[in-house]
C-alpha cells in the first residue's frame, strides 16, 4: 500500500511492504514505529552510515555475557555494549521515571476516597447506634458489659467492611476488564496483554477497606457501650 509518512521535513509517500512486531506484541500504546531499510532511513534522517543503536542476536548456545564481550572487542572503546536484559531494564526505568506522577496522582485519589468513605461510615454507624439504643440497653441490662457491647459493634463493622471490600475489589476487576475491552473499540491502543491483578494488590485492598471501616466505627461503638441500661430501655436517651 502507499502511505503518507510524516517527517521533520515535507510529507513523504512510502510503500508499505510488511508488518513488524516485538515477539507477540503488535502495538505499543502511544507510539508509532516505522521500520525502514537503510537506504531510505539514510535519506530521511540525513546521517548516512550513522546509528544510535545496534541490536545483535547470538547464535544458539552463546551466553549473553559472552556475546557482550565479543561485540565490545569489535567496537571502539567509546561505545557502550550492554546485554539485552540490562537494556530492557534501562528502558523500563526510563518509562517509570516518565510516568511516576501517575501513581502519585492515583494515591492522592485513593486518599481522598478513603477519607470520604470514613466520613460516611462514621455517620452511618452513628445513626445505626442511635436507632439501636434500646437493643444495646437490653444487652447491658442482661449483663453485657460496655466492653462487650463495644466489641460487638466493632465486630459488626469488621464483617461489613470485609464484605464491602470484597465486593469493591470484584467490581474494580470487572471494570478493568471492561475498560480493557472497550478502549480499543474507542481507538485507544493498549498492550497485547491480559489484565492481571497481583495478589498483594488484592490483599492490600481488602485489609485497607476493612481497617478503615473498623476505625471509622470506633467512636460510634464507644457511644454504644456507654449507653445507660435503664435510660436505653425506657427510650429516654
Amino acid at each position: 500500500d502507499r502511505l503518507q509518512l510524516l517527517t521533520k521535513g515535507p510529507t513523504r509517500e512510502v510503500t508499505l511492504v510488511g508488518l513488524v512486531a516485538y515477539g507477540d506484541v503488535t502495538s505499543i500504546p502511544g507510539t508509532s514505529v516505522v521500520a525502514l531499510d537503510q537506504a531510505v532511513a539514510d535519506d530521511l534522517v540525513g546521517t548516512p552510515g550513522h546509528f544510535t543503536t545496534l541490536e545483535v542476536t547470538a547464535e544458539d548456545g552463546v551466553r549473553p555475557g559472552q556475546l557482550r564481550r565479543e561485540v565490545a572487542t569489535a567496537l571502539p572503546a567509546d561505545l557502550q555494549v550492554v546485554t539485552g536484559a540490562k537494556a530492557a531494564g534501562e528502558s523500563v526505568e526510563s518509562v517509570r521515571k516518565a510516568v511516576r506522577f501517575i501513581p502519585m496522582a492515583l494515591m492522592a485519589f485513593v486518599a481522598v476516597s478513603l477519607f470520604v468513605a470514613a466520613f460516611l461510615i462514621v455517620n452511618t454507624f452513628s445513626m445505626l447506634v442511635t436507632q439501636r439504643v434500646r437493643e444495646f440497653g437490653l444487652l447491658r441490662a442482661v449483663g453485657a458489659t460496655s466492653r462487650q457491647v463495644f466489641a460487638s459493634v466493632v465486630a459488626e463493622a469488621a464483617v461489613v467492611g470485609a464484605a464491602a471490600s470484597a465486593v469493591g475489589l470484584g467490581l474494580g476487576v470487572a471494570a478493568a476488564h471492561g475498560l480493557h475491552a472497550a478502549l480499543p473499540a474507542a481507538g485507544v491502543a493498549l498492550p497485547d496483554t491480559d489484565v492481571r491483578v497481583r495478589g498483594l494488590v488484592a490483599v492490600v485492598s481488602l485489609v485497607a477497606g476493612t481497617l478503615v471501616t473498623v476505625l471509622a466505627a470506633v467512636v460510634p461503638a464507644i457511644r454504644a457501650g456507654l449507653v445507660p441500661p435503664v435510660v436505653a430501655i425506657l427510650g429516654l436517651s
Side-chain angles (χ1 to χ4, degrees):
D1 197 3
R2 299 291 294 177
L3 301 176
Q4 297 296 321
L5 180 63
L6 302 179
T7 64
K8 292 183 178 180
T11 302
R12 302 287 294 270
E13 188 177 69
V14 296
T15 301
L16 175 65
V17 298
L19 301 176
V20 297
Y22 294 90
D24 297 330
V25 179
T26 58
S27 65
I28 303 176
T31 303
S32 297
V33 178
V34 179
L36 307 169
D37 59 39
Q38 184 173 345
V40 177
D42 287 342
D43 181 43
L44 291 178
V45 178
T47 54
H50 292 74
F51 304 91
T52 57
T53 303
L54 295 175
E55 297 184 2
V56 181
T57 302
E59 295 180 348
D60 293 338
V62 179
R63 306 182 67 175
Q66 177 185 351
L67 176 63
R68 188 196 66 79
R69 290 190 295 270
E70 293 180 357
V71 172
T73 58
L75 295 176
D78 59 343
L79 297 182
Q80 183 183 19
V81 182
V82 298
T83 62
K86 185 175 180 180
E90 292 175 350
S91 298
V92 170
E93 185 62 26
S94 64
V95 172
R96 286 179 177 174
K97 291 181 179 179
V99 300
R100 59 185 176 184
F101 68 93
I102 296 180
M104 293 188 292
L106 293 177
M107 289 305 298
F109 177 77
V110 169
V112 173
S113 300
L114 288 177
F115 175 79
V116 174
F119 181 77
L120 294 176
I121 292 170
V122 170
N123 288 338
T124 301
F125 271 89
S126 296
M127 291 186 292
L128 290 175
V129 168
T130 301
Q131 295 173 354
R132 297 165 61 187
V133 165
R134 292 177 63 86
E135 175 186 339
F136 296 135
L138 288 173
L139 290 175
R140 294 292 308 279
V142 297
T145 63
S146 298
R147 181 175 298 179
Q148 290 173 329
V149 174
F150 169 82
S152 67
V153 176
V154 172
E156 182 178 340
V159 173
V160 173
S165 299
V167 173
L169 177 62
L171 292 176
V173 174
H177 281 87
L179 289 174
H180 189 266
L183 289 179
V188 179
L190 295 177
D192 296 336
T193 56
D194 296 329
V195 176
R196 299 179 182 179
V197 180
R198 293 187 299 174
L200 179 61
V201 173
V203 171
V204 171
S205 300
L206 294 175
V207 171
T210 304
L211 185 60
V212 168
T213 304
V214 171
L215 293 178
V218 167
V219 173
I222 293 176
R223 289 179 51 198
L226 296 178
V227 173
V230 175
V231 175
I233 293 174
L234 295 177
L236 301 178
S237 62

